[in-house]
Amino acid sequence: DAGVIQSPRHEVTEMGQEVTLRCKPISGHNSLFWYRQTMMRGLELLIYFNNNVPIDDSGMPEDRFSAKMPNASFSTLKIQPSEPRDSAVYFCASSWVADTQYFGPGTRLTVL
Amino acid sequence: DQQVKQNSPSLSVQEGRISILNCDYTNSMFDYFLWYKKYPAEGPTFLISISSIKDKNEDGRFTVFLNKSAKHLSLHIVPSQPGDSAVYFCAASAGYNQGGKLIFGQGTELSVKP
C-alpha cells in the first residue's frame, strides 16, 4: 500500500498568492485529517472529514483557509490569500473510523 | 488552552539506558492515548497506544504507562538505541464520539547518544 500521499512536498510562494495542498488518503479509510505543525503551536488539527463530510473545522485559523473532499480518494487544503505567518508544515492523515491515524510526509510551505 | 502537554522539549539519553518521556492532559473525557514518533522531513508514525481501561501497555522495547488519577502518561524505551532519536508526540482522543479527533502535545525531541 502506498500510504497517504501529499503533494507538493515543498511549496514556496509570495504573499497574496493562492496555495493549494493535495492529499490522497489510504484506500479504504473513511476519515481524513489536516494538521499544521509550527514551532510555536506544535501539531494542531485544522479540519477533519468523515465519509467526505467536514465534521469539525474549528481549527481552521480564518476564512482564508478552506478544505474540500470531493470524493473518498482526494482532498485539498487551500489558502487564499497566503501570508508569511502561514509558513509551516502541513500534514494530511487518514484512518478507518476512529482507529489509528496514518500520516503523509507533509508539505513544507514557505510564504515570502 | 493546551489540553495535552509535554513539558520537556528535549531529552538526551545514553545508548542502552532508559528513556522516559512524559505527557500530561487536562480533559477527563479523553479515553484513548497514543504516542507517535517523527523523524525530520517525514510524517509522524504511530508507535504505541493505550486505552483508559488499562494502566500499562507494552510492545517490545516500548511501554506506555497511564495514571488516570494524575492525568499523566509516560513512554519508556528500554534499552534506548541511536535510531530512537526523533521527536515524540503524545496524543489523546475522546474516542469514537469525537470521530477519532486527536489532540497532540508539543513534542519532545529525544537524542540517544552512542
Side-chain angles (χ1 to χ4, degrees):
Chain A
D1 196 350
V4 176
I5 299 172
Q6 290 188 248
S7 64
R9 292 295 309 274
H10 301 273
E11 176 80 33
V12 181
T13 190
E14 293 188 347
M15 182 173 65
Q17 296 297 307
E18 176 182 303
V19 175
T20 299
L21 310 181
R22 297 172 177 79
C23 175
K24 176 177 168 53
I26 292 173
S27 177
H29 283 183
N30 66 345
S31 294
L32 183 139
F33 306 81
W34 281 101
Y35 291 90
R36 178 171 68 175
Q37 184 186 15
T38 61
M39 290 294 291
M40 290 292 292
R41 301 175 68 86
L43 197 60
E44 55 180 339
L45 178 66
L46 300 177
I47 184 171
Y48 78 93
F49 296 82
N50 189 251
N51 292 323
N52 311 338
V53 176
I55 302 299
D56 184 347
D57 65 353
S58 59
M60 296 286 259
E62 47 197 276
D63 292 345
R64 297 184 297 107
F65 286 70
S66 62
K68 294 182 180 179
M69 192 165 185
N71 57 62
S73 58
F74 184 66
S75 177
T76 60
L77 177 68
K78 185 178 292 186
I79 308 172
Q80 180 185 26
S82 58
E83 296 183 2
R85 59 191 167 122
D86 301 330
S87 298
V89 181
Y90 291 81
F91 291 103
C92 175
S94 70
S95 71
W96 168 245
V97 192
D99 207 342
T100 302
Q101 292 181 25
Y102 293 85
F103 283 74
T107 295
R108 180 173 293 277
L109 173 65
T110 302
V111 183
L112 304 174
Chain B
D1 178 26
Q2 194 95 25
Q3 297 186 67
V4 179
K5 296 180 183 180
Q6 294 175 256
N7 292 317
S8 298
S10 62
L11 175 67
S12 184
V13 171
Q14 206 69 31
E15 180 179 6
R17 306 294 288 269
I18 184 171
S19 296
I20 300 176
L21 295 95
N22 293 303
C23 178
D24 297 295
Y25 62 95
T26 58
N27 190 340
S28 58
M29 296 298 292
F30 289 147
D31 59 3
Y32 190 61
F33 303 89
L34 308 89
W35 285 93
Y36 279 79
K37 180 167 76 172
K38 185 184 178 307
Y39 292 117
E42 294 183 11
T45 56
F46 170 72
L47 187 59
I48 192 169
S49 63
I50 187 167
S51 164
S52 60
I53 62 173
K54 294 186 172 183
D55 55 18
K56 176 183 174 181
N57 188 27
E58 192 171 350
D59 184 2
R61 297 185 297 113
F62 303 90
T63 303
V64 56
F65 295 92
L66 176 62
N67 182 334
K68 288 190 291 293
S69 60
K71 294 191 175 66
H72 176 85
L73 66 156
S74 61
L75 174 68
H76 292 211
I77 307 173
V78 183
S80 302
Q81 299 173 354
D84 296 329
S85 297
V87 177
Y88 289 78
F89 290 95
C90 164
S93 167
Y96 288 89
N97 290 334
Q98 291 289 313
K101 177 179 176 178
L102 294 179
I103 306 298
F104 282 85
Q106 295 282 78
T108 297
E109 183 170 9
L110 173 66
S111 176
V112 180
K113 302 191 181 304

